[in-house]
Amino acid sequence: MSKFHLFPPDRVHHTWARDNEPVLEVDPGDTVFYETRDATNNQVQRDTTAEELSNLNWETFYPLAGPLYVRGAEPGDALAIDILDVQHRGWGWTGILPDAGVLPDEFPDPHIRIWDTCDGEYAYMNDFVRVPIDPFPGVMGVPADVEGELTPMPPRHVGGNMDCRHLTAGTTLYLPVEVEGGLFSLGDGHLAQGDGEVCVSAIEGDLGISCRFDVIKNLELAAPELETPPGSLTPFGDEQGFFATMGVADDLMVATRDAVRNMVQRIVQMYGLSREDAYMLASVAADLKITEVVDPNWIVALYMPKAAFLREPPEMHRLSCR
Amino acid sequence: MSKFHLFPPDRVHHTWARDNEPVLEVDPGDTVFYETRDATNNQVQRDTTAEELSNLNWETFYPLAGPLYVRGAEPGDALAIDILDVQHRGWGWTGILPDAGVLPDEFPDPHIRIWDTCDGEYAYMNDFVRVPIDPFPGVMGVPADVEGELTPMPPRHVGGNMDCRHLTAGTTLYLPVEVEGGLFSLGDGHLAQGDGEVCVSAIEGDLGISCRFDVIKNLELAAPELETPPGSLTPFGDEQGFFATMGVADDLMVATRDAVRNMVQRIVQMYGLSREDAYMLASVAADLKITEVVDPNWIVALYMPKAAFLREPPEMHRLSCR
C-alpha cells in the first residue's frame, strides 16, 4: 500500500552530490509533502530593499529539500514524479539583480517588487497589473554520477534549477537516474513565471508541494522530459489573447534579447509602466517561443497575455503610437 | 468606404527590393484577397519523389504576391495587417532537405511526405497520426530601405519568411514601414506548423488569404509585432495535454538540437514511427519554448500534443521503455 510522507522541513542541502546522505526513503507509489523556502532561504522579506537584495548571502541560496531515496531506482532507470498539488504561502517577490537576466547592460541596478496576493488567485503588481498564481518548484532534480559537489544554480541533464513553468500540479516530470535511489530534491518556489524567466527571477516564494514518485525501469533519458495534463498551458493568455514582440537574428540569444527589449518598450509605451516593472512583468508573465530556427535568420518571440492589464491602452487593437 | 481587391494571382516576385514596382494600390481599411502558390512555386506535386525534392529549381522558389502599395504609409509608420481568413487548397507536403533543418547531420537524405487532408479539418500522416489544419502564410513582409535585391529565404527586421505559426486568421501583424507605401508582399502557404519548424518545412501548400490593411502613423517598430485574438494558441494540444523533451546547454542552438533529437527518439519509441516521420511530425506539430534563459545553463523544450496520436502508446502516462 502506498504511503504518505512529510519531508522534514529543516533538512535542506545546497549542492548536488551523489554522496549526499538521503534524508527519507520511500517506495514507488508513495507521496511526499514538502514545505519549501524561497531561493534566497528567506533572506528576502516583505520589507527587503533593492540595496539589500543585491547584498544577500549567496552561500545559503537554494535550500533544497532532499535527498529522497526511491527504492528500486537504479542507474539507467527514470524517476517519474507526479506533481499532485502546489500551494503558495501568501506573498512573493521579483527582483532584478546586477549582471543577471537577459538585458544586464540595460538594467544594471537592483530592483525589487513585492507582489500582493491577497485574493489568493492573482498576484498584483499595482492597481491595474496582475498575474494569475500558478505555482511550481523552480528546482527539481537528482545528482549526476560525477565526483564532488555541484552548485545548484545551473540546471543539467539530470534536472535541477530548470525553472520550467509547466511543472505545475497535474504535470509529470521524468528524470534520468544516475545514482542508486535517484536522490531527488526540490525547492526554489515560484508563484508564477513566464517561459524564459527573462529578468532572472519569477514571483519567488515559499511553497507547499505534494509529489508522488515512481520508477520506470530501463528508460534511459538524455535529459528531463515532462507530460502535462489536458487543458491549456496558458489559460490566462487565452482569455483575451496575446501581444508579441520579435527578435530576428542569426543568433538565438541576440534574438531573445531583442524580443525582450522590444517587449519592455511596448509595455512602457502602451501602459505607462516603469522600464523595470515592464521587465519584471515580462519575466513573470510572458512566454518566449522559438518561432522558427531554420530560415536561416532565426526568430524568437515573446508573448504577453493582454489579460494582465486591467486598464485598456488608448487603442487596444492598434499598438499605442504616442 | 473601404474596398475589396483581388490581387492578380499571376503577379509574383522573388526578391525583396525597395525599387520593386507596386502591383496594386489600396487605401487604409481596404481588404485584399490573395491566391498563393506554395514555396516551391508548385514544383512539388502529389507524386514528387524525395529525389526530385532535392533537385528543385530554387530560383523560382518563394513566389511572393506583391508588392502592395498602401496609401499614406511612410517611413517611420507601421503597417497593421489584419489576417481575416486563410483557406487551404486540399493537400500539403512536408520535406526533409539535405543540409537544412536543425539536425542536418542526422538526417542527410531527402524525404517527402504528402499529407491527406480529405476531411478538410485534419492533415493525416498515416492511419493514426494527424495534425489539425491551421493555415497561415509563412512569408509576410516589406522591403527594407537598402540598395539592391535581397533573397526571400531569411526573415529580417521588416518581416519576410517569418514562419510564425500564430499568423493565422484573427491575428494582426505589425510591420515597420521603411519605403513609401510599405510595399507589402506575402506567400509560402503553410497548412500547419509547430513553433520552430525544426525539420525546415511545415505542411506546405497553396492558400487563399484575405488581409485588411491599416497604417499607424509614427509608430517606429524595431521588428515585427503581432496581436492574437482571444482563445488558445494551442487548442489541439489542450485536448489531451502535451509531452515535452528538453535540451539543457549553455548555448540555445545546442539546447534546441538536443530537445529535437530527444523528441524524435521519444516519438519513435512510443509510437513506432520512422525517424524521418517523427522529425517531420515534430516540425509541423510540436512547439519550441525557451524554458529559461538565465540560470546560466539554458533550457529549450519541445512540446508535442498527445492528440496527434489516435493510437495510445503502451502506457500513455509512463513514457514507453521498450
Side-chain angles (χ1 to χ4, degrees):
Chain A
M1 205 185 108
S2 62
K3 287 197 290 287
F4 180 92
H5 308 262
L6 182 64
F7 194 90
D10 56 328
R11 296 296 297 275
V12 297
H13 62 100
H14 298 270
T15 58
W16 294 107
R18 65 182 178 191
D19 300 327
N20 282 342
E21 279 296 312
V23 171
L24 184 65
E25 259 191 63
V26 301
D27 285 310
D30 284 4
T31 296
V32 180
F33 179 78
Y34 300 86
E35 279 286 350
T36 64
R37 301 170 220 160
D38 84 328
T40 70
N41 206 11
N42 293 156
Q43 291 180 79
V44 172
Q45 294 293 324
R46 284 172 195 263
D47 57 355
T48 297
T49 64
E51 175 73 13
E52 288 164 349
L53 180 66
S54 60
N55 288 304
L56 299 178
N57 174 10
W58 277 71
E59 279 178 27
T60 71
F61 266 51
Y62 293 105
L64 303 182
L68 181 78
Y69 186 103
V70 182
R71 293 187 189 105
E74 296 172 300
D77 298 341
L79 215 52
I81 302 121
D82 296 322
I83 303 163
L84 301 179
D85 186 47
V86 187
Q87 305 157 15
H88 69 93
R89 294 298 178 239
W91 72 283
W93 63 273
T94 301
I96 299 174
L97 292 165
D99 303 316
V102 298
L103 298 174
D105 296 342
E106 292 156 60
F107 294 92
D109 302 320
H111 279 268
I112 189 166
R113 164 70 68 174
I114 306 297
W115 295 79
D116 179 6
T117 62
C118 53
D119 71 6
E121 197 175 345
Y122 293 94
Y124 288 84
M125 174 174 257
N126 57 33
D127 63 346
F128 73 100
V129 177
R130 64 171 188 178
V131 176
I133 297 172
D134 198 15
F136 67 94
V139 173
M140 299 182 88
V142 296
D145 185 22
V146 295
E147 268 188 48
E149 298 187 319
L150 296 177
T151 61
M153 180 76 174
R156 301 181 180 87
H157 69 283
V158 285
N161 186 26
M162 295 186 286
D163 289 330
C164 174
R165 85 182 204 66
H166 301 300
L167 292 175
T168 45
T171 290
T172 300
L173 171 67
Y174 301 89
L175 293 174
V177 173
E178 298 204 350
V179 176
E180 206 189 286
L183 303 186
F184 175 84
S185 302
L186 57 68
D188 183 22
H190 291 176
L191 278 68
Q193 185 204 295
D195 275 316
E197 200 190 26
V198 296
C199 92
V200 81
S201 56
I203 300 181
E204 312 275 333
D206 298 351
L207 294 182
I209 304 164
S210 292
C211 294
R212 185 173 52 218
F213 293 86
D214 201 359
V215 175
I216 308 176
K217 299 303 291 181
N218 305 311
L219 178 65
E220 299 231 11
L221 298 178
E225 299 191 17
L226 58 109
E227 197 173 352
T228 70
S232 175
L233 295 179
T234 56
F236 189 54
D238 302 350
E239 285 178 28
Q240 297 179 34
F242 298 80
F243 57 94
T245 53
M246 285 183 171
V248 187
D250 59 2
D251 178 279
L252 285 171
M253 183 54 93
V254 172
T256 299
R257 291 195 171 113
D258 289 349
V260 174
R261 183 183 304 109
N262 294 336
M263 178 56 75
V264 168
Q265 183 183 333
R266 175 64 46 235
I267 292 173
V268 168
Q269 270 192 356
M270 285 214 295
Y271 297 98
L273 265 59
S274 71
R275 293 186 73 248
E276 289 75 19
D277 277 353
Y279 189 35
M280 290 192 278
L281 180 62
S283 191
V284 307
D287 293 318
L288 280 177
K289 301 180 195 297
I290 299 181
T291 298
E292 64 80 13
V293 65
V294 291
D295 272 348
N297 275 343
W298 306 320
I299 299 186
V300 174
L302 186 56
Y303 284 70
M304 180 75 205
K306 295 183 195 175
F309 304 93
L310 294 171
R311 180 188 297 171
E312 295 229 334
E315 298 180 72
M316 191 63 189
H317 293 278
R318 287 292 179 259
L319 302 169
S320 171
C321 48
R322 289 170 307 164
Chain B
M1 205 185 109
S2 62
K3 287 199 289 288
F4 180 91
H5 307 262
L6 183 63
F7 195 89
D10 56 328
R11 296 297 297 275
V12 297
H13 61 100
H14 298 270
T15 58
W16 294 107
R18 65 182 177 192
D19 300 327
N20 282 343
E21 279 297 312
V23 171
L24 184 66
E25 257 191 64
V26 301
D27 285 311
D30 283 4
T31 297
V32 181
F33 179 77
Y34 300 86
E35 279 285 350
T36 63
R37 299 170 223 160
D38 85 328
T40 69
N41 206 11
N42 293 156
Q43 291 180 81
V44 171
Q45 293 294 323
R46 284 172 196 260
D47 56 355
T48 297
T49 64
E51 175 73 11
E52 288 164 351
L53 180 66
S54 59
N55 288 305
L56 299 178
N57 174 11
W58 276 71
E59 279 178 27
T60 71
F61 266 49
Y62 294 106
L64 303 182
L68 181 79
Y69 186 103
V70 183
R71 292 186 190 105
E74 297 172 300
D77 298 340
L79 216 51
I81 302 120
D82 297 322
I83 303 162
L84 302 179
D85 186 46
V86 187
Q87 305 157 15
H88 69 95
R89 293 298 177 239
W91 73 283
W93 62 274
T94 301
I96 299 175
L97 292 165
D99 302 317
V102 299
L103 298 175
D105 296 343
E106 291 155 61
F107 293 92
D109 301 320
H111 279 266
I112 189 166
R113 166 69 71 172
I114 307 296
W115 295 78
D116 178 6
T117 63
C118 52
D119 70 5
E121 197 176 345
Y122 293 93
Y124 288 83
M125 175 174 256
N126 56 32
D127 63 346
F128 73 99
V129 177
R130 63 172 189 178
V131 175
I133 297 172
D134 198 15
F136 68 94
V139 173
M140 299 182 87
V142 295
D145 185 20
V146 296
E147 268 187 50
E149 298 187 317
L150 296 177
T151 61
M153 179 78 175
R156 301 180 179 87
H157 69 283
V158 286
N161 187 25
M162 295 185 287
D163 289 330
C164 174
R165 85 180 202 70
H166 302 299
L167 292 175
T168 45
T171 290
T172 300
L173 172 67
Y174 301 89
L175 292 174
V177 173
E178 298 204 351
V179 176
E180 206 189 286
L183 302 187
F184 174 85
S185 302
L186 58 67
D188 183 22
H190 290 176
L191 277 68
Q193 185 205 294
D195 275 315
E197 201 190 24
V198 297
C199 91
V200 82
S201 57
I203 299 180
E204 313 276 331
D206 298 352
L207 295 182
I209 305 163
S210 291
C211 293
R212 186 172 53 216
F213 294 86
D214 201 359
V215 175
I216 308 176
K217 299 303 290 181
N218 305 312
L219 177 66
E220 300 231 11
L221 298 178
E225 299 191 16
L226 58 109
E227 195 172 353
T228 71
S232 174
L233 295 179
T234 56
F236 188 55
D238 302 351
E239 284 178 29
Q240 297 179 32
F242 299 80
F243 58 92
T245 52
M246 285 182 170
V248 186
D250 59 2
D251 178 278
L252 285 170
M253 184 53 92
V254 172
T256 299
R257 292 197 172 111
D258 289 349
V260 174
R261 184 181 304 109
N262 294 335
M263 178 57 74
V264 168
Q265 183 182 335
R266 175 64 45 236
I267 292 173
V268 168
Q269 270 194 353
M270 285 213 294
Y271 297 98
L273 264 60
S274 71
R275 294 186 73 246
E276 289 75 18
D277 277 353
Y279 189 35
M280 289 192 278
L281 180 62
S283 191
V284 306
D287 292 319
L288 279 177
K289 302 180 195 297
I290 299 181
T291 299
E292 64 79 13
V293 63
V294 292
D295 272 347
N297 276 344
W298 306 321
I299 299 186
V300 174
L302 185 56
Y303 284 69
M304 180 75 205
K306 294 183 196 175
F309 304 93
L310 294 170
R311 181 187 297 171
E312 295 230 333
E315 297 181 71
M316 192 63 191
H317 293 278
R318 288 294 180 257
L319 302 170
S320 171
C321 47
R322 291 168 309 163

